[in-house]
């Protein structure tokens, strides 16, 4: 999944509109629509019901939203963690599920490397309990996992 598509998805939910989202992100409305179509195609399911000019999340969209919001927030935290006032960088200690290290985070790290070439990133994986303990011991600054019911 492309991080920008997830961010756009979250913004649409927050704004309640493709048009307002396009304006807030500085995109054309067709670019926003294309990003959502890419995401829906990748997931193999519609995320929004379009009823006239109104939109509503589908069941799949409802399921995706909390994960997309957490991913977007984590990417923002990662960016803020490694950038400082002079843009030199810093250190980000991240704890997460292994699937995110393989699937989502390489693109986030590549974008950070372009923006903050001096940033140092340390990633550890583990169970929820292990990552929580690493947070308590200050071995990781950010911890992200998702739980399944």
């Amino acid at each position: 999944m492309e991080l920008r598509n997830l961010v756009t998805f979250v913004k649409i939910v927050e704004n309640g509109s493709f048009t307002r989202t396009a304006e807030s992100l500085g995109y054309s409305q067709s670019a926003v629509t294309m990003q959502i179509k890419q995401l829906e195609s990748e997931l193999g399911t519609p995320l929004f019901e379009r009823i006239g000019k109104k939109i509503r999340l589908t069941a799949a969209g409802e399921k995706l939203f909390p994960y997309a919001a957490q991913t977007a927030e984590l990417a923002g935290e990662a960016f803020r963690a490694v950038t400082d006032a002079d843009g030199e960088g810093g250190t980000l200690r991240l704890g997460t599920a292994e699937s995110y290290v393989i699937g989502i985070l390489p693109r986030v790290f590549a974008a950070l490397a372009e923006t903050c070439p001096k940033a140092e990133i340390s990633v550890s994986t583990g169970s929820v309990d292990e990552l929580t303990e690493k947070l308590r011991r200050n071995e990781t600054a950010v911890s992200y996992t998702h739980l399944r019911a």
Side-chain angles (χ1 to χ4, degrees):
M1 282 182 250
E2 293 289 331
L3 180 60
R4 68 185 168 100
N5 293 353
L6 289 174
V7 169
T8 298
F9 170 74
V10 170
K11 292 292 185 187
I12 292 168
V13 174
E14 292 172 350
N15 291 327
S17 163
F18 279 60
T19 302
R20 284 191 295 270
T21 297
E23 291 169 359
S24 73
L25 294 174
Y27 296 159
S28 67
Q29 185 171 347
S30 62
V32 169
T33 300
M34 181 58 68
Q35 287 178 4
I36 297 307
K37 284 184 180 182
Q38 287 172 347
L39 189 55
E40 289 174 331
S41 175
E42 187 174 358
L43 294 171
T45 187
L47 299 172
F48 293 99
E49 291 179 14
R50 293 153 178 96
I51 306 161
K53 292 194 176 234
K54 297 193 182 247
I55 59 169
R56 187 174 69 182
L57 284 173
T58 62
E62 292 279 351
K63 289 178 187 175
L64 177 63
F65 180 72
Y67 298 111
Q70 288 177 328
T71 301
E73 180 60 30
L74 178 62
E77 288 177 20
F79 182 81
R80 289 186 296 276
V82 298
T83 58
D84 56 24
D86 63 6
E88 290 296 314
T91 301
L92 171 64
R93 291 173 292 134
L94 175 68
T96 189
E98 190 171 333
S99 61
Y100 288 102
V101 174
I102 296 167
I104 294 173
L105 293 178
R107 286 178 239 141
V108 173
F109 294 156
L112 285 171
E114 287 180 25
T115 308
C116 307
K118 294 183 181 180
E120 294 179 31
I121 301 170
S122 169
V123 180
S124 61
T125 60
S127 68
V128 173
D129 291 338
E130 292 167 333
L131 294 173
T132 301
E133 187 57 33
K134 286 180 182 187
L135 276 171
R136 283 190 189 117
R137 292 190 314 254
N138 200 28
E139 292 175 8
T140 185
V142 179
S143 182
Y144 178 72
T145 59
H146 74 257
L147 304 173
R148 294 179 192 236

